[in-house]
Amino acid sequence: YHMKVGDEDVELLLACPNSHNTSNFSNFTFSPRSLPWEEMACYTFLMFTDLELDVLFNIRRETLARFILFVEKGYRDTPYHNWRHAFCTVHFAFLLIKNLDLIKQGFITPLESLALMVSCVCHDLDHRGTTNSFQTQSGTVLANLYSSEGSIMERHHFAQAVCMLNTEGCNILDGIPREQYTKCLDLIRDLILATDLASHFRVFEEQQKLLVEFQKHKEDQRRLLLCLFMTACDLSDQTKHWSVARQTADLIYKEFFTQGDMEKTMGSSPVESMDRDKAYIPSLQIQFLDNIVIPLYGLISELFPEAECLVKAAKLNREGWTTADALFSTQWDRGGHELLSNPELDEQV
Ligand SMILES: Cc1nc2ccc(C(=O)NCC(C)C)cc2n2c(-c3cc(OC(C)(C)C)ccc3Cl)nnc12
Ligand SMILES: [Mg+2]
């Protein structure tokens, strides 16, 4: 898939509309899933230039355009882990920077904001729609490469990001002095590795201590905060309207159940959440929201009161699943998972 990005593609992207014609584009309530697929590259470009990252870090516009188009090509056509997910992730990073005023308030440096935006865009590059344990169990090439260090997929996503940056005409970091370049790449590595669910549990304890008294002049504390933002960006669909959160769950379980089917044909039995015959999505989603999503945005809203609306939205979505649960359990035997993709569900919630 590493076809060259044509110059006409670059021209097309540079000609994209210079205004976010959707007025609430910079609002937490805006859903990036509402934009047409072919406009996402252009809006990604606009977010980088809106933050003046091109000016601050001496990034040539055609290099930025070519990098974005190349990253788009670096994603596969899976139900969830595709270019649309990468776009949702980087859009939320943009929302955090704008709405929490992170740079002007000194919570993160401009270089850290660049690393956050690039990490979000690249964080799931070349995802195959399968988990780390699936790589190990089926002995994939990626497992052979990375299983000794763990976070198999995340190490691959980072390797792909480095590969993009080392591609002729795509290195958006080549205008940065050597030691800042190294620091930025080191940050991108940490931030992409932070999107491994397993490492999130390990780090979340430490991040909660941040709440006690966050010292923004300490680099190691800012790094913990950036990892927290990274997982918040990765999960951001859960802070949007119910119909978005529900549709995302639908896509994720499409991937999970496909993996479960593959595991069954390979003779191993999948975990419950990947077994279409055992998984009960409403309760799995309530658990996920209670154990991961709500605590995460809860911590962010304690550090940043402006982010209160995110916890509220996540809690609303949790209520959505209890309503769906009531609906599902009555009709479960009749509808099964198909009920999930039934738009009528959105009316009930
Ligand atoms: C709506 C929603 N439901 C989920 C339900 C279950 C799981 C899951 O992985 N369960 C364990 C496996 C062994 C069955 C993930 C879910 N998930 C994620 C997600 C988050 C990730 O990690 C961070 C960002 C660090 C939390 C990494 C990957 C993914 Cl797909 N994004 N949205 C969701
Ligand atoms: Mg990932």
Side-chain angles (χ1 to χ4, degrees):
Y1 57 85
H2 270 311
M3 288 91 71
K4 211 166 142 28
V5 173
D7 293 343
E8 62 286 349
D9 301 338
V10 173
E11 293 316 311
L12 190 81
L13 186 55
L14 291 173
C16 72
N18 214 347
S19 67
H20 304 169
N21 49 21
T22 37
S23 56
N24 64 341
F25 179 85
S26 306
N27 192 305
F28 278 130
T29 57
F30 182 77
S31 173
R33 289 183 182 272
S34 63
L35 288 174
W37 188 281
E38 59 282 348
E39 290 183 16
M40 294 194 288
C42 157
Y43 278 98
T44 305
F45 183 88
L46 286 172
M47 287 188 277
F48 274 80
T49 53
D50 183 285
L51 296 173
E52 300 186 337
L53 294 173
D54 54 332
V55 174
L56 279 164
F57 297 103
N58 192 10
I59 305 172
R60 295 175 58 242
R61 291 164 56 81
E62 52 274 26
T63 308
L64 179 59
R66 196 170 288 111
F67 171 76
I68 291 167
L69 290 168
F70 210 27
V71 167
E72 176 177 352
K73 281 183 162 56
Y75 280 89
R76 296 193 189 192
D77 178 21
T78 61
Y80 176 73
H81 286 104
N82 51 45
W83 168 235
R84 170 77 74 183
H85 168 57
F87 178 70
C88 291
T89 305
V90 70
H91 177 257
F92 195 78
F94 177 76
L95 293 183
L96 289 172
I97 294 167
K98 302 286 277 195
N99 290 283
L100 307 188
D101 207 13
L102 293 175
I103 302 174
K104 288 195 207 85
Q105 306 280 331
F107 287 105
I108 62 174
T109 67
L111 187 72
E112 288 162 350
S113 72
L114 174 68
L116 181 62
M117 294 289 282
V118 174
S119 301
C120 284
V121 138
C122 297
H123 84 282
D124 271 333
L125 268 171
D126 195 33
H127 203 291
R128 293 94 192 274
T130 52
T131 60
N132 288 334
S133 57
F134 182 83
Q135 310 311 316
T136 316
Q137 264 160 37
S138 41
T140 62
V141 168
L142 298 182
N144 291 331
L145 277 170
Y146 305 118
S147 60
S148 53
E149 300 129 296
S151 301
I152 296 169
M153 287 312 302
E154 292 73 26
R155 287 183 197 284
H156 178 56
H157 305 318
F158 174 64
Q160 293 293 96
V162 171
C163 172
M164 299 273 158
L165 290 169
N166 290 338
T167 301
E168 181 62 33
C170 297
N171 191 347
I172 55 171
L173 305 182
D174 65 3
I176 305 177
R178 168 61 46 201
E179 75 283 346
Q180 279 206 312
Y181 181 100
T182 313
K183 179 175 282 195
C184 191
L185 221 48
D186 182 57
L187 249 177
I188 292 168
R189 182 185 162 284
D190 280 1
L191 294 184
I192 293 179
L193 289 182
T195 60
D196 177 2
L197 185 61
S199 56
H200 166 69
F201 289 118
R202 233 184 1 255
V203 174
F204 193 60
E205 303 286 314
E206 244 185 289
Q207 288 161 333
Q208 285 174 305
K209 286 188 199 114
L210 261 190
L211 175 70
V212 183
E213 23 80 52
F214 177 64
Q215 293 156 308
K216 51 188 174 184
H217 55 280
K218 287 199 173 161
E219 186 171 3
D220 58 327
Q221 295 217 4
R222 289 203 310 275
R223 191 154 298 202
L224 269 179
L225 182 65
L226 283 161
C227 290
L228 187 69
F229 286 153
M230 196 62 209
T231 45
C233 295
D234 202 348
L235 291 174
S236 54
D237 287 337
Q238 299 310 308
T239 68
K240 309 293 183 185
H241 182 263
W242 160 256
S243 55
V244 173
R246 176 195 55 77
Q247 192 228 349
T248 291
D250 190 3
L251 298 174
I252 286 180
Y253 285 95
K254 266 198 182 65
E255 279 191 13
F256 282 3
F257 294 159
T258 303
Q259 175 175 323
D261 295 347
M262 288 190 280
E263 287 169 339
K264 286 175 188 171
T265 46
M266 284 156 44
S268 59
S269 59
V271 293
E272 182 208 323
S273 51
M274 302 201 148
D275 186 337
R276 66 175 75 248
D277 304 323
K278 289 184 189 161
Y280 182 58
I281 294 170
S283 57
L284 289 172
Q285 281 304 294
I286 289 167
Q287 281 166 38
F288 188 75
L289 285 156
D290 283 347
N291 300 335
I292 295 175
V293 179
I294 292 166
L296 187 119
Y297 294 104
L299 177 55
I300 291 179
S301 70
E302 287 184 60
L303 288 166
F304 302 92
E306 315 91 301
E308 174 70 33
C309 57
L310 302 174
V311 201
K312 283 205 174 75
K315 286 177 176 171
L316 262 183
N317 286 324
R318 188 205 187 281
E319 291 325 301
W321 287 110
T322 45
T323 308
D325 179 25
L327 253 182
F328 262 71
S329 40
T330 50
Q331 304 172 30
W332 176 253
D333 47 343
R334 270 208 300 282
H337 299 300
E338 285 58 50
L339 265 177
L340 193 75
S341 39
N342 177 343
E344 274 171 50
L345 186 61
D346 298 346
E347 271 63 63
Q348 305 287 341
V349 175

